[in-house]
Amino acid sequence: VTAVPLLGYREHNCDDPEAEQVALLAVDHINNHLQQGYKHILNRIDKVKVWPRRPTGEVYELEIDTLETTCHALDPTPLANCSVRQVTQHAVEGDCDFHVLKQDGQFTVLSAKCDSTPDSAEDILKLCPDCPLLTPLNDTRVAQAAEAALTAFNEKNNGAYLQLVEIARAQLVPLPASTYVEFTVAATDCVAKEVTDPAKCNLLADKQYGFCKATVAEKVAREEVEVTCTIFPAQPVVPQPQPGVAGAAAVEPAPAVDPASPVSPPDGQSPSSLVVGPVL
Amino acid sequence: VVVQPSVGAAPGPVITPCPGKVRYFKI
């Protein structure tokens, strides 16, 4: 009787170059499938197991920790140029489990599962007692601040009327009493200064998104709004082939940006010239 | 550490292959 060796896994050093290569591919996979929230960056590889696969290849079972960056998922800035969200800004961590197939020298993500968690309030306040904490996005003050900021921006904007897409993060600042909010917007077919009924404005067929940061302070009988918006150049998205493996799951189902043809910025402006603000 | 049976294994540092290094900070 020929002894049949058991097909067990082998453990890898988590800082092994190949483990890191697989982890970076996994992080790219996360970011390429995000539609909302912020891009994440690799912080630590927690565990790596490599399983033999019949008839050929190997499957990497990977656990990684990620950190939220300041680049929104719709922001075309390369991840390498994105800053990690600092603890004082109430950092958010991701915990991800991946299965990645290595076959013929090629890596393919088979499955991905991530959970994200903000740092504990206790930890932040120990380090920085005055730092504002993240506020739930369904807080009415947050929604009102985003609406007020976008209205103020549209009133001063010479370009397309912008619609709110998603409130991405918010903090209630104690001193001076104000609401800080970050949100995404999309350009419509209306001119901002001519809009009478926003409900009649439609999103552009080639979706063009933007990202705004605003601080809205409640003053006596008035609001003081400071808002800056950046309109992203439309990005062509090349659909990525995914393996037809039963039970495979992606982090998010759809690409970050609609697979539309590229659109030039209005008036031939460069992307950097589309950064507008602050509007007071 | 693999040694010949007649040779005693010298105590070495315990290698912890995982988890790996923290690149930014741990929360």
Side-chain angles (χ1 to χ4, degrees):
Chain A
V1 177
T2 308
V4 178
L6 289 173
L7 285 175
Y9 66 83
R10 61 187 166 89
E11 292 207 41
H12 243 278
N13 184 326
C14 278
D15 288 331
D16 181 274
E18 187 159 279
E20 182 161 311
Q21 186 186 356
V22 177
L24 293 174
L25 174 97
V27 171
D28 279 347
H29 181 88
I30 297 169
N31 291 326
N32 291 340
H33 289 79
L34 280 177
Q35 274 189 307
Q36 57 185 33
Y38 296 85
K39 293 183 188 183
H40 275 241
I41 199 162
L42 179 65
N43 191 34
R44 185 167 78 168
I45 301 171
D46 273 341
K47 200 183 284 181
V48 185
K49 290 179 184 174
V50 185
W51 297 85
R53 178 185 182 264
R54 288 192 177 112
T56 59
E58 293 177 315
V59 173
Y60 279 75
E61 185 184 332
L62 197 70
E63 290 180 28
I64 59 172
D65 290 342
T66 62
L67 286 172
E68 186 185 271
T69 69
T70 56
C71 290
H72 192 270
L74 301 177
D75 186 340
T77 303
L79 183 64
N81 297 344
C82 296
S83 304
V84 175
R85 178 89 59 195
Q86 293 302 302
V87 172
T88 52
Q89 297 174 300
H90 205 163
V92 174
E93 179 189 43
D95 290 305
C96 300
D97 297 328
F98 276 89
H99 285 96
V100 179
L101 170 66
K102 182 185 180 188
Q103 195 168 30
D104 303 326
Q106 301 284 319
F107 293 97
T108 311
V109 175
L110 299 179
S111 73
K113 177 181 167 295
C114 291
D115 294 309
S116 64
T117 327
D119 196 0
S120 77
E122 189 185 4
D123 287 352
I124 296 168
L125 296 176
K126 257 188 225 167
L127 185 76
C128 172
D130 297 327
C131 284
L133 301 174
L134 281 172
T135 303
L137 301 179
N138 59 3
D139 187 304
T140 50
R141 289 166 292 184
V142 173
Q144 284 169 3
E147 289 292 344
L150 188 53
T151 301
F153 187 85
N154 273 324
E155 282 171 1
K156 300 275 183 182
N157 182 15
N158 290 320
Y161 178 80
L162 301 178
Q163 271 186 4
L164 182 64
V165 175
E166 175 218 351
I167 298 174
R169 74 171 8 235
Q171 290 159 300
L172 297 177
V173 182
L175 286 174
S178 55
T179 304
Y180 175 77
V181 61
E182 295 182 359
F183 54 95
T184 51
V185 292
T188 67
D189 55 2
C190 294
V191 177
K193 290 200 166 163
E194 296 171 3
V195 170
T196 50
D197 183 2
K200 290 183 180 167
C201 301
N202 305 300
L203 295 183
L204 300 178
D206 293 328
K207 304 271 190 325
Q208 192 160 26
Y209 293 101
F211 180 69
C212 300
K213 297 176 180 182
T215 300
V216 179
E218 286 293 338
K219 302 283 179 181
V220 180
R222 68 187 173 93
E223 270 175 342
E224 196 172 272
V225 179
E226 187 176 333
V227 54
T228 309
C229 292
T230 304
I231 306 300
F232 304 134
Q235 294 290 304
V237 170
V238 180
Q240 297 186 342
Q242 290 297 312
V245 175
V251 180
E252 295 287 343
V257 181
D258 284 4
S261 56
V263 172
S264 299
D267 305 320
Q269 293 170 308
S270 67
S272 60
S273 69
L274 293 172
V275 179
V276 185
V279 176
L280 292 174
Chain B
V1 179
V2 178
V3 296
Q4 289 180 10
S6 58
V7 179
V14 178
I15 298 169
T16 312
C18 286
K21 67 183 180 217
V22 173
R23 287 160 175 76
Y24 297 95
F25 52 82
K26 186 74 187 134
I27 64 172

